[in-house]
Amino acid sequence: MSSAAPLPLPGRQNPLVIGGHMDADRALLTPRGELVHGCAEALAEKLAGLPAGTARIDVDMSGVHFMDSAGLEFLEVLRDHGRRRRLPVTATRWNGQPRRILELAGLDTMDPLRSPAPHGAPSPALTAVAREREERLLLLQEEVEQLRQAIASRPVIDQARGILMATYGCTSDEAWHILREASQLSNTKLRAVAEAVAAGSRPNGPRPPEAVRDALSRALARRHP
């Protein structure tokens, strides 16, 4: 039986599903999808359903293609389960974006559960490491949020590029640079510029704001003098 985590990323339909099987007294778990909000709860449910005689848990992470900071909660659930049950737990075969998240968090990319955890009062060195990790996690959260926004913005940006290409005979790359330059010149978010272009192309659609119109004109003049 599989456990699924709710609430996948906006624009995606690929929540976490945790499969697996028993090999004698060893449990092999195979998560598939995204480590986002709800993944730790799904894992806890899966672990609670393992047979009482389970002596080892190995988690194959190769099927996970995206994670945000909730993935660290997923790892903590695994680590805590191993401590309480006094059994070895591994989480290996990380790839792509999740592997980069581990790097940013300062964890072992081969198996983050091998990273040593402090016992008792933290030493000054461990405190410094904890502070550095907290700073990295803040950067990680910003990076993930930018990725979320990019995923949500892509359809309207692609639509605006198509409109510019059809209207001005420019290439896809030229249309992208025009939108980006107009965003910079008008101090307006790229998505807002794209939405203004798309809305203005509709019958009786509203004209883009004056600042955006002026920036688009200047950007177009530079690309198509």
Side-chain angles (χ1 to χ4, degrees):
M1 186 173 179
S2 309
S3 300
L7 300 179
L9 279 175
R12 293 172 176 250
Q13 297 296 326
N14 198 2
L16 184 72
V17 175
I18 305 176
H21 65 273
M22 296 297 299
D23 181 7
D25 60 357
R26 168 180 173 256
L28 175 61
L29 303 185
T30 52
R32 296 287 184 271
E34 302 169 353
L35 295 187
V36 293
H37 177 71
C39 65
E41 290 82 358
L43 174 63
E45 179 182 344
K46 183 70 175 180
L47 294 173
L50 293 178
T54 301
R56 178 184 181 88
I57 301 174
D58 294 315
V59 187
D60 180 348
M61 304 301 297
S62 60
V64 173
H65 59 264
F66 181 89
M67 69 179 277
D68 59 16
S69 56
L72 302 180
E73 298 176 26
F74 180 95
L75 291 173
E76 190 55 37
V77 169
L78 271 177
R79 180 181 285 112
D80 183 63
H81 185 84
R83 287 173 181 162
R84 287 187 289 106
R85 301 298 177 89
R86 299 181 181 277
L87 52 84
V89 181
T90 67
T92 58
R93 301 189 67 193
W94 296 81
N95 297 302
Q97 188 263 0
R99 185 182 179 94
R100 170 164 169 72
I101 298 305
L102 296 181
E103 292 174 349
L104 287 172
L107 297 173
D108 187 335
T109 57
M110 298 298 292
D111 180 4
L113 298 181
R114 291 192 309 199
S115 300
H119 296 283
S123 68
L126 286 174
T127 301
V129 169
R131 287 186 187 138
E132 181 181 357
R133 182 168 296 177
E134 183 177 358
E135 292 174 359
R136 288 182 177 181
L137 288 179
L138 288 174
L139 292 174
L140 160 63
Q141 289 169 351
E142 292 176 3
E143 181 175 314
V144 169
E145 183 57 31
Q146 289 172 3
L147 179 57
R148 287 180 186 275
Q149 292 176 4
I151 291 171
S153 301
R154 182 168 180 174
V156 71
I157 292 174
D158 286 347
Q159 183 182 1
R161 290 169 71 177
I163 292 168
L164 292 176
M165 290 166 64
T167 304
Y168 299 101
C170 55
T171 67
S172 177
D173 285 344
E174 287 174 335
W176 164 254
H177 287 296
I178 288 167
L179 288 172
R180 189 173 65 175
E181 188 170 345
S183 170
Q184 295 169 348
L185 290 171
S186 62
N187 195 26
T188 305
K189 289 185 177 180
L190 180 62
R191 178 175 180 173
V193 173
E195 287 174 342
V197 170
S201 70
R202 302 187 191 110
N204 301 318
R207 297 183 69 192
E210 183 177 354
V212 174
R213 292 201 311 270
D214 180 64
L216 282 168
S217 297
R218 291 162 63 190
L220 283 163
R222 293 184 187 183
R223 298 280 166 179
H224 294 271

